[in-house]
Structure formats: structure tokens, C-alpha cells
Amino acid sequence: MCDKWLDLEAKTVIITGAASGIGKEIATAFAEQGSNIVVADINPDGQEVLSEFDGGADKHLFVKTDVTNQEDIEEMVAQTIEKYGKIDVLINNAGINIPRLLVDSKDAKSKYELNQKSVNFMIDINIKGVLFVTQAVAREMIKKESGVIINIDSECGLEGSEGQSCYAATKASLYSFTRSWCKELGKYGIRVVGMAPGIMEETGLRTLEYEEALAYTRGKTVNELRTGYKNVSVPLGREGKLREAANLACFLASKRAGYIHGTTYNISGGKSRG
Ligand SMILES: NC(=O)c1ccc[n+]([C@@H]2O[C@H](COP(=O)([O-])OP(=O)(O)OC[C@H]3O[C@@H](n4cnc5c(N)ncnc54)[C@H](O)[C@@H]3O)[C@@H](O)[C@H]2O)c1
């Protein structure tokens, strides 16, 4: 249902990684508000996801985009401008998490130790992808002197996380981007904010490969890990709902959040307070 209080109707919103999980739910929520949606995802399934959104085909666009590929980024921005003539909101949501130990003391040839490949993969998508997508989009926002950029971090970016040190470090860098870009872009009327989810409902991120790796790094079985999702010390005693993250994104993108700039909101049920 379109909420006049948020006033997001006809806003053009690019969401990277919106073929799945948190990004898809954010896109769904903006579509309900009557926004123009751009799904920028490496996964071609993003095309099919469009049919699930409110509004007609003239309000939805999928551009197959690898956020690590500069040509893809420029093509995605060009198609967005061609279809909608402007970009109002960018949600930097695409991200990956490969659980790995710094040192595996049990196995010198461990496949669960960080190496050049896994580290580069996370840095390329989670840091460089965010930077270069934002650079291309900010060029357009500067022309019209308005816009909102929302970086999807993780509460572990500040808290740290056992078996996820590189992932957490990439997410910590987004807190820093948010603070610096607020200083660079504020003068053009562009707000930059972050959102840091904690443990959320299941998304595409929670594959068996991910769970096996995370369980190994924590000396647990996959079943123990799964039981633990609900038992970790979250003061609210439950996982976060994807819609709760989407609601926060809609609020932060709206004029109601017009003086919120350069800061990152925790959405973790109190697991860590940022
Ligand atoms: N799920 C959680 O509990 C949780 C917690 C904290 C932070 N986050 C963050 O939220 C964001 C979304 O995660 P999710 O849980 O919804 O995962 P997900 O795997 O369901 O969604 C991630 C999306 O990113 C896309 N993607 C991956 N590599 C890409 C690339 N190179 N270019 C473009 N798109 C690419 C995938 O195709 C997928 O659609 C991530 O940045 C993640 O780090 C998630």
C-alpha cells in the first residue's frame, strides 16, 4: 500500500543484488510505494523477480549487472537514465560472505583458511563494487543536486565475527564510506546513510556451502549452527524480518529522514548496538 507519509511514489530506486533476500524485499517494499525499481544483479533470475512487484512493466527494470565490472555498471546507469531520466535512490546491497579462518590450527592445508582468492572475491564485490557503483550513480545525482545512497553493512562490521574476519572487515569499510561520502556529497544535496543488519530470516546467503564453512570455523556441526541462529544472544530473542530491513530502507530514503546523513543504523534486535 502506497504510504503518502513516505512520499516515495515515482522515485527511481536502484537496488544492487535485488534478485534475492534483503535486496528483493527492499525492492518489493519500494514497488509498493509506487517507486520505479531497477534490479541490478549478476543473477539473471532478477528478470523473473520483476513480475512479483506491484506496478506495471513501465515501473520495473532489470539490468544484469556484475558490480565488479565497470562496463556493466555504466550500462546499468545508462539504461536507468534512458528509462526514467533520473536516479533518486541507490541501495548498495549486493554482497557475499565466505566464512574462512585466519589460521586453521587443525589443518595446514585447510580449505577453510583465507587465501588470495577468497579475500579478493569479498573485497571486489563488497568494497570495490560498492565504491564504483556509487561513483557512477553519484555523477548523475550531482547533476540534479539530490539523491540518497544507502549502504547495506552488517553489525559484524563493528563487532567482528568468528570465522568471518575478512567479510566483517569489508563491511566495516562501508561504515567508513558512509562517513566520508557524507562529507563529499552533502554539499550536492545527496544524503548517505548505512544500515547494518544482524541475524536475519533466511536469504540466499545461507547456502549449505556457507553453513558448512561457518560451522567448521566455529567447531560446530551444521545442525548445531542452525539451532544456534535462534539461540544467539539477541535481546529481542528472534531473527530480524526481511520486511523490517525493507521498512528501514524506505524510511531512510524518504524525506522524513531528511536530516539523517553520514551515520549507520543497526537493525540487529540489540545483538550489537553499533
Ligand atoms: N542475511 C543476513 O543475515 C545479513 C546480515 C547482515 C548483512 N547482510 C548483507 O545484506 C546484503 C544482502 O544479503 P542477503 O542475505 O540478502 O544475501 P543474498 O545472497 O540473498 O543476496 C545477495 C544478492 O547479491 C547478488 N550478487 C552477488 N554478487 C554480485 C555481483 N558481483 N554483482 C551483482 N550482484 C551480485 C546475488 O546474486 C544475490 O541476489 C549483503 O550485502 C549482506 O552482506 C545480510
Side-chain angles (χ1 to χ4, degrees):
M1 188 187 71
C2 182
D3 184 338
K4 295 286 176 209
W5 191 77
L6 289 172
D7 195 22
L8 293 168
E9 201 168 357
K11 299 288 181 197
T12 299
V13 186
I14 296 173
I15 305 120
T16 66
S20 165
I22 295 172
K24 183 177 167 189
E25 190 68 17
I26 290 174
T28 305
F30 275 99
E32 286 168 9
Q33 297 305 318
S35 304
N36 304 319
I37 305 299
V38 181
V39 172
D41 201 299
I42 196 169
N43 184 347
D45 290 351
Q47 180 67 53
E48 282 142 48
V49 163
L50 300 187
S51 63
E52 298 175 30
F53 298 153
D54 283 2
D58 59 334
K59 294 189 77 69
H60 309 147
L61 175 67
F62 168 69
V63 188
K64 187 171 176 300
T65 312
D66 177 352
V67 296
T68 70
N69 181 310
Q70 193 66 33
E71 281 176 18
D72 278 14
I73 294 170
E74 277 157 27
E75 178 61 22
M76 183 272 292
V77 169
Q79 284 196 37
T80 303
I81 295 297
E82 192 185 334
K83 183 162 175 129
Y84 302 119
K86 59 170 184 155
I87 304 168
D88 299 296
V89 181
L90 167 65
I91 317 269
N92 280 313
N93 166 77
I96 53 151
N97 183 350
I98 309 170
R100 292 288 183 270
L101 289 164
L102 178 64
V103 176
D104 186 351
S105 60
K106 290 178 285 188
D107 181 357
K109 291 191 180 144
S110 174
K111 66 174 184 176
Y112 292 122
E113 237 183 46
L114 285 164
N115 60 24
Q116 294 286 344
K117 192 173 166 208
S118 54
V119 169
N120 286 340
F121 197 42
M122 283 186 271
I123 288 177
D124 282 349
I125 295 173
N126 296 0
I127 302 181
K128 289 165 73 179
V130 169
L131 191 158
F132 289 114
V133 169
T134 304
Q135 183 182 53
V137 169
R139 288 192 211 287
E140 295 299 326
M141 289 179 170
I142 284 171
K143 285 182 202 163
K144 67 183 189 70
E145 299 210 331
S146 70
V148 182
I149 295 162
I150 300 177
N151 293 324
I152 306 295
D153 302 330
S154 166
E155 56 86 32
C156 77
L158 290 187
E159 282 298 301
S161 181
E162 184 181 10
Q164 305 186 109
S165 64
C166 181
Y167 170 73
T170 63
K171 290 298 178 177
S173 78
L174 301 196
Y175 286 81
S176 182
F177 282 157
T178 298
R179 291 194 184 116
S180 298
W181 293 340
C182 123
K183 292 178 176 163
E184 290 189 21
L185 299 176
K187 57 172 130 351
Y188 302 109
I190 301 168
R191 286 192 298 111
V192 189
V193 288
M195 281 174 45
I199 297 175
M200 305 302 284
E201 289 173 322
E202 190 167 347
T203 65
L205 187 144
R206 220 183 271 177
T207 59
L208 183 59
E209 193 184 3
Y210 163 86
E211 289 187 309
E212 283 174 348
L214 189 60
Y216 180 87
T217 65
R218 296 181 176 179
K220 293 181 176 172
T221 65
V222 168
N223 276 342
E224 284 166 348
L225 183 78
R226 286 178 183 162
T227 313
Y229 290 136
K230 295 201 162 63
N231 295 343
V232 287
S233 58
V234 178
L236 282 183
R238 63 172 176 84
E239 298 169 327
K241 296 183 170 62
L242 301 187
R243 182 45 67 119
E244 289 170 324
N247 287 344
L248 178 59
C250 287
F251 170 71
L252 290 174
S254 77
K255 283 190 182 142
R256 300 291 169 178
Y259 204 53
I260 299 175
H261 186 41
T263 194
T264 297
Y265 274 72
N266 245 34
I267 174 155
S268 68
K271 178 169 178 277
S272 71
R273 283 149 292 131

